[in-house]
Amino acid sequence: GFAGRAREDDAGDTHGEKDDAPLMGRSDSRSRGVGGGMVALEVTSSGDPSGDLVLDDDRWRWRHTVSYWVCVSFILGSLLFVAGCAFWYKRYAYESRKRALVTYPFLFGSVLFTVGGYLGVFQAINVGVRGPSRLWRWAPEKDGFMGYFYYFVGALVFNVSCAEPLEMFAGLPGWMKREMAWGAAEVGSFFFILGAAVEVKRNGVSDVRAAIEDGTWMTLPFWVSWNNLFGGCFFFIAAVAGRFDPTSPGWVYTTYLIGSMNFFVASSLMMYMWKGEQYGLGFIPSINRVLPIRGYVREGDDGDGKEYRKVSVVQYCFL
């Protein structure tokens, strides 16, 4: 997709929904496009081709910030899982305390993962779409769609596991409660693994040895992808172990805690990518493209001729 006001005689010309639509569209003398795909912004300039580009706020749409809310949802969700796992080790005399410190953080964290997964799907299906955003459509051909879709489905199923300890399900047969708690966790974690596997493959970091040799292991997409994959794997191991020993401090509590930390690291690095104008994050690398805007500085010699915003560590930590 591209931004910028099209010429009057090009009003009927569209680029459809191709992810490889031009980075910059034809525009009049007062505006130029910047960015790629759904994150393209409307900008204006003084008319001097060498001048700085500034945002044209009247063209800004909320869907351009979707990737930020994906990061926030995953960060808060993973933090709630970390907190729930930390309190899980203690034996509680009152069930209400366990629900407050363990059950509810897991449930709300799972809901936030669901929200983040859907927002990712929403972003993917609207890449390159001009006009009103679509809330849903099946689009496996869109970059990032399948990865986010697997995460969305996994989180939806995982909600069942997190809701099982609630009092409303206390009267269910034992086998049904077991399948709700651990069967759903197994299925949900398996979909997390699938989503992360798609992310690893899409970022071209599946060959770790090659990534080390060519320096790719030092990039953010490498660490985002592999932390997500490890998080899904640890969740799956914990879910399988929980079926046989639900109160195992090592195989269940600690394994869930490690997986939650993996997801937290991945989502935090995603926020760092967002601050660096890499709005595709780890799932949609095709739109991790920007052109110079006021306040951007060159970040080293990456050889691609592009310039990216310098990320302030203070601002990043605050976010």
Side-chain angles (χ1 to χ4, degrees):
F2 67 90
R5 298 172 183 170
R7 295 178 183 271
E8 211 171 68
D9 56 354
D10 291 330
D13 180 29
T14 65
H15 290 273
E17 299 177 4
K18 296 181 180 179
D19 291 342
D20 58 352
L23 189 62
M24 292 197 54
R26 287 173 293 178
S27 57
D28 59 29
S29 61
R30 299 191 311 109
S31 67
R32 275 180 281 173
V34 58
M38 182 179 144
V39 298
L41 313 178
E42 179 75 7
V43 295
T44 59
S45 181
S46 60
D48 179 8
S50 63
D52 292 328
L53 303 178
V54 296
L55 294 178
D56 184 359
D57 292 335
D58 68 340
R59 295 286 293 176
W60 185 261
R61 297 177 181 176
W62 80 271
R63 74 181 188 183
H64 297 140
T65 67
V66 167
S67 56
Y68 168 79
W69 294 109
V70 171
C71 299
V72 169
S73 298
F74 285 158
I75 288 175
L76 294 180
S78 57
L79 276 178
L80 284 171
F81 266 91
V82 169
C85 290
F87 286 114
W88 211 357
Y89 289 92
K90 181 178 174 57
R91 302 295 181 182
Y92 295 94
Y94 302 100
E95 187 65 23
S96 59
R97 291 184 180 177
K98 183 178 181 180
R99 285 199 299 268
L101 298 175
V102 180
T103 302
Y104 293 149
F106 281 167
L107 181 59
F108 293 143
S110 181
V111 170
L112 284 170
F113 262 84
T114 307
V115 171
Y118 169 73
L119 290 177
V121 170
F122 173 84
Q123 181 184 18
I125 63 179
N126 285 289
V127 168
V129 174
R130 302 172 66 185
S133 302
R134 297 186 180 187
L135 295 179
W136 165 256
R137 78 178 181 90
W138 178 252
E141 76 283 357
K142 303 288 287 186
D143 189 19
F145 175 84
M146 291 308 301
Y148 276 125
F149 177 75
Y150 286 140
Y151 262 71
F152 177 57
V153 173
L156 278 176
V157 178
F158 213 91
N159 286 333
V160 177
S161 174
C162 295
E164 181 272 333
L166 296 178
E167 193 171 357
M168 68 177 68
F169 301 113
L172 295 178
W175 68 269
M176 186 176 294
K177 287 177 63 66
R178 182 178 64 253
E179 293 305 319
M180 285 183 63
W182 305 111
E186 290 168 351
V187 175
S189 300
F190 178 72
F191 274 96
F192 290 156
I193 294 174
L194 287 179
V198 171
E199 182 183 18
V200 168
K201 182 179 180 181
R202 184 65 185 86
N203 285 299
V205 295
S206 55
D207 189 338
V208 178
R209 178 178 297 181
I212 294 176
E213 291 176 353
D214 62 20
T216 307
W217 73 276
M218 299 181 64
T219 63
L220 290 177
F222 176 90
W223 291 101
V224 170
S225 303
W226 279 101
N227 270 284
N228 277 328
L229 184 58
F230 278 122
C233 290
F234 278 116
F235 267 44
F236 184 78
I237 294 172
V240 173
R243 178 181 291 277
F244 302 98
D245 187 1
T247 59
S248 171
W251 284 104
V252 179
Y253 301 171
T254 302
T255 309
Y256 263 132
L257 178 60
I258 295 174
S260 301
M261 290 298 299
N262 282 127
F263 282 129
F264 174 70
V265 171
S267 56
S268 298
L269 293 178
M270 286 164 59
M271 176 65 77
Y272 196 91
M273 293 181 70
W274 180 85
K275 280 292 294 177
E277 305 296 331
Q278 302 301 291
Y279 298 121
L281 308 179
F283 285 91
I284 317 179
S286 63
I287 63 173
N288 286 340
R289 308 171 297 180
V290 293
L291 291 177
I293 301 180
R294 186 190 307 276
Y296 282 47
V297 297
R298 181 167 300 282
E299 287 292 294
D301 184 11
D302 52 17
D304 61 4
K306 298 184 178 68
E307 297 183 8
Y308 300 88
R309 182 185 297 277
K310 182 178 181 180
V311 179
S312 165
V313 176
V314 175
Q315 294 179 8
Y316 166 69
C317 292
F318 177 80
L319 287 173

